[in-house]
Amino acid sequence: MQLTQWTDYSLRVLMYCAACEQRAARVTVTEIAEKFRISRNHLTKIVHDLSVRGLLETTRGRGGGLRLLQPAQAVTIGSVVRVTETDFRLVECFDPVGNQCCVSGQCSLAGVLDQALASFLKVLDQVTLADMVRPRPNSSDDGWQALVRLPETAPRSLLLQEAT
Amino acid sequence: MQLTQWTDYSLRVLMYCAACEQRAARVTVTEIAEKFRISRNHLTKIVHDLSVRGLLETTRGRGGGLRLLQPAQAVTIGSVVRVTETDFRLVECFDPVGNQCCVSGQCSLAGVLDQALASFLKVLDQVTLADMVRPRPNSSDDGWQALVRLPETAPRSLLLQEAT
């Protein structure tokens, strides 16, 4: 039992944007691709999908980039997984088209698996993107905040001094 | 998110045997393969695995076949899924070997998915093979019992009469 890589990467993109909520500079696809060492092309498709699904706002051009369309504390992990994980057919009899099991209809397995799935998603409905990127207590570093920090650039005044 | 076909078929074999608990004639691999239209070879591997894992007893020869090693009401669906579903790495950071995510250790996602998985399995721990094959209330047929019923053969005395 696994979530798709698509869901895994979608969550990373959204958590990254959540960790950047207070950052002045917008997030770019290139930045996330480099940090996670994921193909930029693949990530572009994921970002487009998240944008179509109303989870991300993308702006083109200078100063453009990605940001969450809603506050990170308003987006649950459950709501993300529900839209990114498109196939929840746990076993064959969940599939109304391809199901060939001769006992479905009389068997209680599908109902029980459905309850188990609901219980799985309920746990994910109780936590938000903001919860995921919050620094962990007793952690020696600041985790997500360290990851999203951009390299400091020298102030312009200093650069001008050096040039002269 | 799906369970493997291996788990799906393993559950069918065990539920079939559960439905046959009171039947005099032992279950055979051929019988299950024909009823569910599953490759007999594939099913033989599954039955072997279930036998190695202490869930099935297999007997060779005349009158031999399969039966549950424990009563159907003592075997939970959770205990079956835990042994047949060998890969519960929901996302990359669950994998201690292949994980390349740069933020694992500081990210709360794995812990939350772990809780969700525990919640999924907890539901399955509360139901047994016996619960799965019990006739459903208000059902027009007797489901599993109809499936496992063998075609009636004429009593030997009758056959002898006809032959004479």
Side-chain angles (χ1 to χ4, degrees):
Chain A
M1 194 168 99
Q2 296 176 300
L3 295 174
T4 56
Q5 191 192 60
W6 185 275
T7 291
D8 185 352
Y9 289 177
S10 296
L11 285 167
R12 292 193 210 186
V13 169
L14 295 172
M15 290 189 290
Y16 198 95
C17 291
C20 291
E21 239 179 357
Q22 306 303 324
R23 201 180 79 175
R26 284 277 184 102
V27 180
T28 64
V29 174
T30 305
E31 180 187 342
I32 303 180
E34 284 174 0
K35 292 283 174 76
F36 286 111
R37 295 181 200 171
I38 298 173
S39 139
R40 196 185 173 285
N41 276 350
H42 189 46
L43 220 45
T44 302
K45 290 177 198 156
I46 288 171
V47 164
H48 174 73
D49 181 67
L50 292 171
S51 148
V52 168
R53 294 179 185 279
L55 287 161
L56 275 186
E57 182 190 69
T58 59
T59 322
R60 285 174 182 269
R62 192 184 160 87
L66 323 173
R67 68 170 192 180
L68 296 177
L69 209 58
Q70 297 173 60
Q73 64 188 28
V75 184
T76 68
I77 302 299
S79 69
V80 175
V81 170
R82 277 187 177 81
V83 296
T84 57
E85 194 72 16
T86 50
D87 191 351
F88 281 111
R89 290 172 298 183
L90 287 176
V91 288
E92 187 183 308
C93 61
F94 274 56
D95 181 2
V97 180
N99 179 29
Q100 296 196 331
C101 180
C102 54
V103 80
S104 50
Q106 276 73 47
C107 173
S108 302
L109 185 66
V112 166
L113 288 174
D114 228 8
Q115 284 173 35
L117 177 59
S119 187
F120 177 89
L121 291 170
K122 193 177 171 189
V123 172
L124 304 185
D125 284 338
Q126 287 156 8
V127 287
T128 68
L129 290 174
D131 297 328
M132 293 302 97
V133 300
R134 199 165 287 141
R136 308 177 87 178
N138 310 320
S139 176
S140 57
D141 69 30
D142 58 355
W144 277 97
Q145 286 310 313
L147 183 72
V148 303
R149 199 170 294 134
L150 294 176
E152 280 188 34
T153 50
R156 191 170 158 73
S157 54
L158 268 181
L159 290 175
L160 284 172
Q161 277 179 9
E162 277 172 15
T164 55
Chain B
M1 195 169 98
Q2 295 177 302
L3 295 174
T4 57
Q5 192 192 60
W6 186 274
T7 292
D8 185 351
Y9 289 176
S10 296
L11 284 167
R12 293 194 208 186
V13 169
L14 295 171
M15 290 189 291
Y16 198 95
C17 291
C20 291
E21 240 179 355
Q22 306 302 324
R23 202 181 77 176
R26 284 277 183 104
V27 180
T28 65
V29 174
T30 305
E31 180 187 344
I32 304 180
E34 283 174 0
K35 292 283 175 75
F36 287 111
R37 295 184 199 167
I38 297 173
S39 141
R40 195 186 174 285
N41 276 350
H42 190 46
L43 221 45
T44 301
K45 290 177 199 156
I46 288 172
V47 163
H48 174 73
D49 181 67
L50 292 172
S51 150
V52 168
R53 293 179 185 280
L55 287 161
L56 276 185
E57 183 191 67
T58 59
T59 322
R60 284 173 183 270
R62 194 184 159 86
L66 323 173
R67 69 169 191 180
L68 295 177
L69 210 59
Q70 296 172 62
Q73 63 187 28
V75 183
T76 68
I77 301 300
S79 69
V80 175
V81 170
R82 277 187 178 82
V83 295
T84 57
E85 194 72 15
T86 50
D87 191 351
F88 281 111
R89 288 172 298 183
L90 287 175
V91 288
E92 187 183 308
C93 61
F94 273 57
D95 181 1
V97 181
N99 178 29
Q100 297 196 329
C101 181
C102 53
V103 81
S104 51
Q106 275 74 49
C107 173
S108 303
L109 184 66
V112 166
L113 288 174
D114 228 9
Q115 283 174 36
L117 178 60
S119 187
F120 177 90
L121 291 170
K122 193 177 171 188
V123 172
L124 304 185
D125 284 338
Q126 287 156 10
V127 289
T128 68
L129 290 174
D131 297 329
M132 294 302 96
V133 301
R134 200 165 286 141
R136 308 176 85 178
N138 309 319
S139 175
S140 57
D141 69 29
D142 58 355
W144 276 98
Q145 286 308 314
L147 183 72
V148 303
R149 198 171 295 134
L150 294 175
E152 280 188 37
T153 50
R156 189 170 160 75
S157 54
L158 266 181
L159 290 174
L160 284 173
Q161 277 180 11
E162 277 174 14
T164 54

